[in-house]
């Protein structure tokens, strides 16, 4: 089904994992996508793989001017900016008392700051072009679920959820929807190393009622739905796609592997 036929989209963190799966699903649904990422090699490979309706652009989402320029480039290339997906993000695993200020700042700058720039400049462009669109922020179950050694990540993702709500409140009157997706455990380059450790894998799968990770493609399908008119009354909410892990706790990443 061509749910997004003719739409112009931007996806950040699009060279890998969840961002790449969202970009792929958007293209399959008929959209054109500007893929933004810092990883030049992965970006080249992804844009070549996704074909004529994909354009790669090296973008550091922690730099406001780069995000603004990327969104404008998508608007100019596709004729309109209809969908923005703010996906680039990462965490830092360290006990709170050992977490450096530098690490804290790096996580906030990309995982929360990058989302802010995408929402701000995505909305400004949609207002300027006189055609509203949809902004999707990639959150995490960790916005709601504290994790040992994950203070910086959890705080950033909780910030993303509140930003989604504030933006929906301010922009809804202009027809712009702002929504979020909170993935649970998804096997991507970000999590692969942890999941290769059998004890860690068992800890993670132990909190998922469905006993399996979520496939990145499932996040792509959720994003297509949220970006489409089928979701026209969904605004300000962040939808968990987590196999039910929020019904339990989060794995004890620091103490769970001891003794
Ligand atoms: P991933 O495979 O590591 O992909 C993230 C991409 O973003 C990488 O290509 C990375 O480049 C890029 N990136 C890093 N910093 C950037 C920056 N400053 N500007 C632009 N791009 C940048 O990670 P993922 O698992 O797909 O995660 C994507 C999002 O989903 C993140 O926000 C993450 O927090 C969230 N999430 C993931 C999971 C999960 O289980 N995987 C669960 C919940 C939420 P490099 O390769 O150079 O680092």
């Amino acid at each position: 089904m061509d749910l997004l036929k003719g739409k112009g989209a931007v996806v950040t963190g699009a060279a890998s994992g969840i961002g790449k799966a969202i970009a792929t699903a958007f293209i399959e649904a008929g959209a054109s996508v500007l893929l933004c990422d810092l990883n030049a090699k992965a970006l080249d490979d992804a844009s070549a793989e996704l074909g004529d309706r994909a354009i790669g652009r090296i973008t550091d989402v922690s730099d406001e001017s780069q995000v603004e320029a990327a969104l404008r480039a998508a608007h100019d290339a596709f004729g309109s900016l209809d969908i923005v997906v703010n996906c680039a993000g990462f965490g830092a695993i360290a006990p709170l008392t050992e977490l450096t200020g530098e690490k804290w700042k790096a996580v906030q700058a990309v995982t929360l700051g990058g989302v802010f720039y995408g929402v701000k400049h995505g909305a400004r462009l949609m207002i300027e072009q006189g055609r509203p669109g949809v902004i999707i922020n990639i959150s995490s179950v960790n916005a709601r679920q504290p994790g040992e050694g994950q203070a910086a990540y959890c705080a950033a993702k909780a910030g993303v959820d509140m930003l989604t709500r504030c933006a929906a409140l301010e922009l809804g009157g202009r027809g712009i929807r702002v929504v979020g997706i909170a993935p649970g455990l998804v096997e991507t380059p970000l999590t692969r190393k942890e999941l290769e450790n059998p004890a860690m894998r068992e800890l993670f799968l132990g909190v998922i009622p469905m006993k399996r990770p979520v496939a990145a493609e499932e996040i792509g399908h959720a994003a297509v739905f949220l970006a489409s008119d089928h979701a026209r009354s969904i605004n300000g909410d962040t939808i968990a796609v987590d196999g039910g892990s929020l019904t339990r706790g989060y794995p004890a990443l620091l103490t769970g592997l001891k003794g």
Side-chain angles (χ1 to χ4, degrees):
M1 239 198 309
D2 280 348
L3 279 180
L4 305 180
K5 194 170 169 47
K7 303 280 186 190
V10 170
V11 179
T12 71
S16 174
I18 292 172
K20 186 177 173 195
I22 293 171
T24 305
F26 279 5
I27 284 178
E28 285 168 2
S32 297
V33 184
L34 187 89
L35 317 174
C36 295
D37 207 286
L38 260 187
N39 187 327
K41 167 81 176 75
L43 190 57
D44 272 355
D45 291 349
S47 33
E49 188 186 322
L50 293 183
D52 290 348
R53 278 186 281 115
I55 302 173
R57 183 178 172 108
I58 294 178
T59 311
D60 180 350
V61 299
S62 67
D63 180 331
E64 181 168 7
S65 61
Q66 290 189 37
V67 175
E68 184 181 8
L71 292 163
R72 193 163 289 281
H75 172 273
D76 294 348
F78 305 141
S80 63
L81 179 68
D82 303 297
I83 309 161
V84 177
V85 180
N86 297 302
C87 180
F90 56 79
I93 295 195
L96 183 58
T97 48
E98 307 297 323
L99 182 65
T100 64
E102 285 313 305
K103 262 286 174 209
W104 169 270
K105 280 192 267 183
V107 171
Q108 305 312 319
V110 173
T111 308
L112 179 55
V115 175
F116 165 61
Y117 298 142
V119 172
K120 173 182 168 182
H121 291 288
R124 282 170 75 121
L125 256 171
M126 287 170 189
I127 292 165
E128 186 185 308
Q129 74 187 0
R131 177 168 156 175
V134 184
I135 300 173
I136 301 175
N137 298 328
I138 302 305
S139 175
S140 165
V141 289
N142 286 121
R144 298 175 231 177
Q145 194 73 259
E148 284 181 1
Q150 289 191 282
Y153 185 69
C154 293
K157 291 297 190 183
V160 168
D161 284 7
M162 186 50 84
L163 180 60
T164 298
R165 297 174 70 195
C166 289
L169 177 68
E170 284 196 37
L171 299 168
R174 295 180 179 269
I176 298 170
R177 288 191 295 117
V178 187
V179 293
I181 298 174
L185 177 67
V186 184
E187 214 157 349
T188 68
L190 187 77
T191 51
R192 199 155 288 146
K193 205 158 155 248
E194 284 165 3
L195 292 173
E196 276 167 3
N197 173 341
M200 193 70 107
R201 193 177 183 89
E202 201 181 313
L203 270 184
F204 268 109
L205 294 186
V207 299
I208 306 173
M210 295 180 76
K211 300 284 175 220
R212 60 165 177 81
V214 175
E217 292 70 26
E218 296 177 72
I219 309 295
H221 296 317
V224 169
F225 165 68
L226 286 173
S228 79
D229 218 35
H230 287 326
R232 62 188 172 277
S233 297
I234 301 180
N235 194 19
D237 202 11
T238 293
I239 292 171
V241 182
D242 70 331
S245 69
L246 276 170
T247 60
R248 294 224 173 95
Y250 198 73
L253 296 186
L254 297 183
T255 55
L257 295 174
K258 289 190 184 143

